[in-house]
Each structure stands twice: as structure tokens, then as C-alpha cells.
Amino acid sequence: MEFPVNVGIEELDYILSELKEDSGQKTIAGGSVANTIRGLRTSFAIPAAIIAAYGDDRQGNLFLKNMTFNGVNVSCLRKKKGHTAQCICLVDHSGNRTMRPCLSNAVKVQAHELVREDFKGSKWLVLRYAILNLEVIQAAISLAKQEGLLVSLDLASFEMVRKFKAPLMKLLESGNIDLCFANEDEATELLRDEHNADPVAAVEFLAKYCKWAVVTLGHNGCIAKHGKQMVRVPAIGEAKAIDATGAGDLFASGFLYGMVKGLSLEECCKVGACSGGSVTRSLGGEVTLENRQWMYKQMQIRDLRMPDVLCK
């Protein structure tokens, strides 16, 4: 994947205007955390809410409708005047991706707007590392911990880790990150200056600071550690993804479902692999009904706990 370069709204509009009419263009509500919590709600029947801001534009309205339609609690979603964050994801026939996010002028939640009530009654706070949102991340963690929540952090991208490793390490060293997700590139970047920078070393490193550490390895599955236990689980699904957009986000949905239901570390990884594999079977970061049924079949084959909505 080509690393995303942030663009302005004018450049984003220009890129869209250059796409051919038969390019298979799709507009989907998304974002890393949004993908994860939507997956938790729709695929696993886990109540989920989103704390975010959206603009007074067409994209913002689409985002609100999609989250609402999928059963996500939007009571903490703030509407603001301005542009909604967007990202263009170009996918070729081989599944290679080029991403161009438009974030700098987008509306955002501010740290001072967060209140303890936003977190009351929840079990997990799901975050994605981003230097532009560092103040909000820190405020959210502080309030979440006051309410007794566990905190999950996704490392976002190898470039984010490379450029802003120092503040990331402060977050990890605070002891407030209970679960950390990293892909192989992010994990390698985290240990860039170390002699041994393989995934095993990376998950060992993250486990020093987090109760649970997970490194996803694409078609090679994942490796995870909790306490003295380390497991490695193979990927589930086709070796060649149609589009890997959202694979890590939906892996997190499955893993967090396992955590909420008290599954073992290995079972959490297996559910994550089923969920992550399901979204790669079609374009976009939202699991289709057909692919959700495929995921349930994979879970049944592996004798994994099915979502409660399917057990009634």
C-alpha cells in the first residue's frame, strides 16, 4: 500500500473528477475506529457508540445515516460547520491501494468538549493513534480510566510511528493502554533501531506496556501475547484479497468481541481472523451481508462462540 499523503479539499475534488465513470467508484462511511465499532455492532451484536464530529455537508449526512442504520449509538456524535473528514482509496485489480486522506481542514472533536458522561457504562475505549488528535486521545483516555474502561490503541501506520514515535512511547509507557494493535510494518518501525525487529520481538516489546499485544501479519495471520502466553494464528480467507481496506479494523472488531465475551487469547485471534478476512472479499471497509454470512460459517467450522443474536 502506498502511504497516504494528506490532501486539501480542492485536490480531493480534482482526483474524484479524474476518475472514469466505469471505475467502480463507491462512497462508503468509514474511518478506522468507525469501521471497528460498526463491525462490533453489525457482525457481533455488541452495543457500540461513537464519539466524533461530522460536518454540515453531504459526506457528514452520509456518515450519520450509515452509523445510525447500522445500530451504532450516535448520541455523542457532534455536528459542526465545515468539511467532514474524507479519504480516497484507489484500488487496482491486484488489490494494491493508494490512499489520499483529506483531514487538515476537517471538523474535529476538541479535548475540552469531552465529558465523563460520554464514557459512562462502556467497557472499552477504541482509539487510533494520530498526532493531530493527540490532545483528544489523552483527554479521552483520562476520562475513560476515571469510568473504569479498558483502552485499545491501533498504531495507524508505519509513517505515523516513524515520525511521532516519542509521543507514542509516552502513551504506551503511561500504562493506560491495555490492548495494542499493530500491523507488521508498524511493528517493525517501532523497533527500527533495534537489532532484532521481527514481529515476535515487536509483540514482546508491546507486551511490556500493554496487557494484550497483537501484531497482524496480513496473509500470514497474526501473533499475540497476554502475560506469559503467546499464540500465532493463521489468516482465514482467500490468499489474494480483492481489497484489504479495513482488514485490520475488522480484525480488531473480532478480537474485541472475543475480549468482551471472555474468550481465550487464541480464540480472540481466530475470531479476528474470520472478521478481518471477511472484509477483504469485496471493495470497501464495510462487511457486506454475504461476507458476514461467510464469516459466521468460518466461525462455526472452528467451533468459535457465535454472536448472541444468532444463538437465540
Side-chain angles (χ1 to χ4, degrees):
M1 183 186 78
E2 183 179 332
F3 179 75
V5 176
N6 196 45
V7 299
I9 192 69
E10 296 81 8
E11 187 175 351
L12 182 141
D13 289 338
Y14 172 75
I15 295 172
L16 288 174
S17 70
E18 289 295 299
L19 295 177
K20 297 177 180 179
E21 290 185 7
D22 61 350
S23 62
Q25 184 180 153
K26 295 173 68 175
T27 301
I28 302 173
S32 180
V33 171
N35 290 340
T36 297
I37 64 167
R38 180 175 56 206
L40 275 166
R41 186 71 188 107
T42 59
S43 294
F44 298 105
I46 300 295
I50 186 166
I51 302 173
Y54 67 102
D56 58 348
D57 52 10
R58 182 175 63 86
Q59 291 78 14
N61 190 49
L62 182 150
F63 184 83
L64 176 64
K65 285 184 175 180
N66 181 272
M67 292 294 111
T68 303
F69 176 80
N70 284 292
V72 175
N73 185 329
V74 296
S75 61
C76 295
L77 200 57
R78 280 88 162 169
K79 183 177 182 179
K80 297 189 175 186
K81 186 174 180 58
H83 295 298
T84 303
Q86 300 175 59
C87 181
I88 293 177
C89 184
L90 306 173
V91 186
D92 67 18
H93 293 295
S94 299
N96 299 311
R97 294 176 295 157
T98 297
M99 303 181 79
R100 291 292 180 266
C102 179
L103 306 175
S104 56
N105 296 322
V107 296
K108 300 179 181 67
V109 171
Q110 302 300 320
H112 67 83
E113 296 173 335
L114 299 177
V115 293
R116 284 184 62 169
E117 191 66 30
D118 291 334
F119 307 90
K120 195 174 293 292
S122 298
K123 292 183 178 180
W124 281 90
L125 170 64
V126 180
L127 297 168
R128 185 174 193 256
Y129 183 57
I131 197 66
L132 290 175
N133 295 330
L134 186 59
E135 187 179 353
V136 178
I137 289 172
Q138 293 168 331
I141 291 173
S142 175
L143 291 169
K145 286 301 178 183
Q146 291 176 43
E147 289 297 321
L149 275 68
L150 295 166
V151 176
S152 164
L153 180 70
D154 181 279
L155 296 194
S157 72
F158 76 89
E159 194 72 27
M160 189 67 69
V161 175
R162 177 183 297 173
K163 290 184 176 181
F164 307 107
K165 184 176 178 180
L168 171 60
M169 287 307 304
K170 284 187 177 181
L171 279 178
L172 294 173
E173 290 167 355
S174 71
N176 287 325
I177 308 301
D178 300 285
L179 165 60
C180 188
F181 293 106
N183 65 29
E184 190 168 6
D185 291 338
E186 294 153 7
T188 301
E189 189 60 45
L190 196 60
L191 298 182
R192 183 181 180 85
D193 300 324
E194 303 293 326
H195 176 68
N196 185 9
D198 61 36
V200 173
V203 82
E204 292 272 15
F205 178 82
L206 288 170
K208 293 178 182 178
Y209 306 103
C210 311
K211 295 184 182 72
W212 298 272
V214 184
V215 175
T216 56
L217 307 171
H219 65 273
N220 290 317
C222 72
I223 185 168
K225 187 173 185 188
H226 173 55
K228 294 182 178 180
Q229 183 187 16
M230 184 180 292
V231 300
R232 189 161 192 154
V233 169
I236 296 172
E238 286 80 359
K240 192 65 178 177
I242 293 175
D243 176 18
T245 302
D249 306 331
L250 272 298
F251 177 94
S253 296
F255 192 95
L256 286 165
Y257 160 78
M259 294 292 293
V260 170
K261 295 300 182 181
L263 303 188
S264 69
L265 182 63
E266 183 175 7
E267 289 172 323
C268 287
C269 289
K270 287 181 177 179
V271 180
C274 290
S275 181
S278 70
V279 79
T280 68
R281 295 164 53 83
S282 59
L283 287 174
E286 185 172 3
V287 180
T288 65
L289 180 59
E290 178 184 350
N291 290 338
R292 191 175 303 135
Q293 294 304 319
W294 175 90
M295 182 193 76
Y296 293 148
K297 182 178 180 180
Q298 302 305 314
M299 290 177 65
Q300 287 177 325
I301 290 171
R302 291 159 180 82
D303 197 27
L304 297 168
R305 175 170 174 170
M306 301 299 291
D308 292 341
V309 70
L310 299 176
C311 299
K312 295 177 180 178

